[in-house]
Amino acid sequence: MPRGTYLNKPSSQLRPERSPARRKVFEHNKKIILATQSVCGICGLPIDKSIKYPDPMSPTVDHIIPCSKGGSDELDNLQLAHR
């Protein structure tokens, strides 16, 4: 893939960090997820939010349907998970 080809995709297909508008929505919804959820959406175990990256048990916000597959940054497509 030639350099820069990825950036020629429509903004709806860009990763959140590549589009300032999507990044703003994602960061806003990430704060809501971190404040309201406490169980991993993948394994169902509780998440200790005091554990910090790079520990694999640290919290992260995960897209249920990946952005690369057309998933959005809306709350209904985000879940708390272990890194």
Side-chain angles (χ1 to χ4, degrees):
M1 177 182 298
R3 187 173 188 187
T5 301
Y6 179 77
L7 296 177
N8 292 331
K9 289 185 176 182
S11 62
S12 64
Q13 295 178 348
L14 292 178
R15 294 176 52 104
E17 63 270 17
R18 300 280 185 172
S19 167
R22 284 194 69 185
R23 185 67 179 179
K24 185 176 179 180
V25 170
F26 177 75
E27 288 299 324
H28 173 72
N29 289 338
K30 177 180 173 179
K31 288 178 186 176
I32 294 171
I33 295 293
L34 287 169
T36 60
Q37 295 184 11
S38 60
V39 176
C40 178
I42 297 171
C43 71
L45 295 175
I47 294 181
D48 182 354
K49 295 178 185 171
S50 67
I51 300 174
K52 302 297 179 196
Y53 175 83
D55 190 301
M57 296 304 282
S58 65
T60 190
V61 175
D62 178 45
H63 287 84
I64 298 167
I65 300 172
C67 294
S68 63
K69 303 285 186 198
S72 71
D73 296 319
E74 299 303 319
L75 282 173
D76 60 347
N77 190 45
L78 299 175
Q79 65 183 354
L80 190 63
H82 292 108
R83 185 162 290 285

